[in-house]
Amino acid sequence: MEYSREALMEAVSAQMPAKRWQHTLGVMETSVQLAERYGADPAVAETAAILHDVAKYWPVDQQRQIIEANGLSAELLLYDKSLWHAEVGAFVAERDYGISDPEVLGAIRYHTSGRVGMTKLEKIVCLADYIEPGRSFPGVEEIRRLAGVSLEEGLVAGFDSTISLLLQKRQIIFPLTVLSRNDLVRILEDK
């Protein structure tokens, strides 16, 4: 079943607190702006943004069960639970909302970690998640500035910020985030 934009927004907003829905609206707006700036389809970017946090507030036991029962990335279970919702969200977008576009599913799946060889849409949604207007953390203005230079510059700054924070807190860093960052640095070096 294909959902209209409005029905999709209604279904997703019902699964999260109002404050998180405000964040989602900001990611939608920012994804559309980035898509227009960098030559991606704004409607497709908006769809991925609507769904990017669909499973964020699901109980972690339910997220674990979905990962285990459906052969999703079991490696995620070894890392912080805050990463799980992206993988589960991509699964749910396909199963419950009929999303079949692999680019949209990838943008949902990799919006927290990135991946090596990110598509333009994956970069857009991941970066929009960092810089949407409601975000306020040390360094966000610099990430926003670099997002105006290139998707890659903005994302490297975003990943650097995340990695730095995790290092300061002595927390485990998901290896894919480091690999994603390094891949983007290589792309920038080759330009």
Side-chain angles (χ1 to χ4, degrees):
M1 175 182 164
E2 184 98 6
Y3 279 69
S4 70
R5 176 184 183 272
E6 291 71 27
L8 194 59
M9 289 174 66
E10 188 176 320
V12 173
S13 67
Q15 299 186 53
M16 59 185 62
K19 185 174 181 181
R20 179 52 60 162
W21 180 245
Q22 287 305 308
H23 161 74
T24 298
L25 292 173
V27 175
M28 289 165 56
E29 173 190 330
T30 306
S31 290
V32 167
Q33 292 169 354
L34 291 171
E36 289 170 346
R37 179 179 186 105
Y38 291 109
D41 185 326
V44 174
E46 184 180 59
T47 298
I50 291 169
L51 286 157
H52 85 283
D53 273 349
V54 67
K56 176 92 173 171
Y57 289 91
W58 289 21
V60 291
D61 288 343
Q62 184 180 5
Q63 291 184 49
R64 177 189 298 278
Q65 189 274 328
I66 287 173
I67 290 169
E68 291 174 343
N70 295 286
L72 305 181
S73 177
E75 178 189 18
L76 276 176
L77 299 176
L78 304 173
Y79 294 92
D80 194 277
K81 294 170 182 64
S82 66
L83 295 167
W84 300 1
H85 76 280
E87 181 82 13
V88 173
F91 175 80
V92 168
E94 187 170 18
R95 180 191 71 187
D96 297 352
Y97 300 105
I99 302 296
S100 58
D101 184 336
E103 284 231 52
V104 172
L105 297 173
I108 298 166
R109 179 171 289 115
Y110 299 112
H111 82 270
T112 58
S113 64
R115 72 174 177 99
V116 174
M118 291 176 81
T119 67
K120 187 180 292 185
L121 184 63
E122 290 167 0
K123 292 174 186 177
I124 285 168
V125 175
C126 186
L127 186 55
D129 192 36
Y130 271 112
I131 65 169
E132 61 91 2
R135 289 288 200 197
S136 176
F137 58 87
V140 71
E141 290 304 326
E142 178 63 5
I143 299 168
R144 288 183 178 125
R145 185 188 74 74
L146 290 169
V149 175
S150 78
L151 293 170
E152 294 81 10
E153 291 284 1
L155 277 173
V156 168
F159 288 142
D160 284 354
S161 171
T162 296
I163 292 166
S164 177
L165 180 66
L166 293 172
L167 288 170
Q168 289 170 21
K169 292 181 172 186
R170 287 195 72 180
Q171 291 184 339
I172 294 171
I173 300 169
F174 189 47
L176 189 55
T177 303
V178 176
L179 294 172
S180 303
R181 181 232 180 242
N182 291 347
D183 186 54
L184 292 165
V185 169
R186 282 187 196 100
I187 290 169
L188 289 168
E189 287 173 349
D190 290 343
K191 281 190 172 182

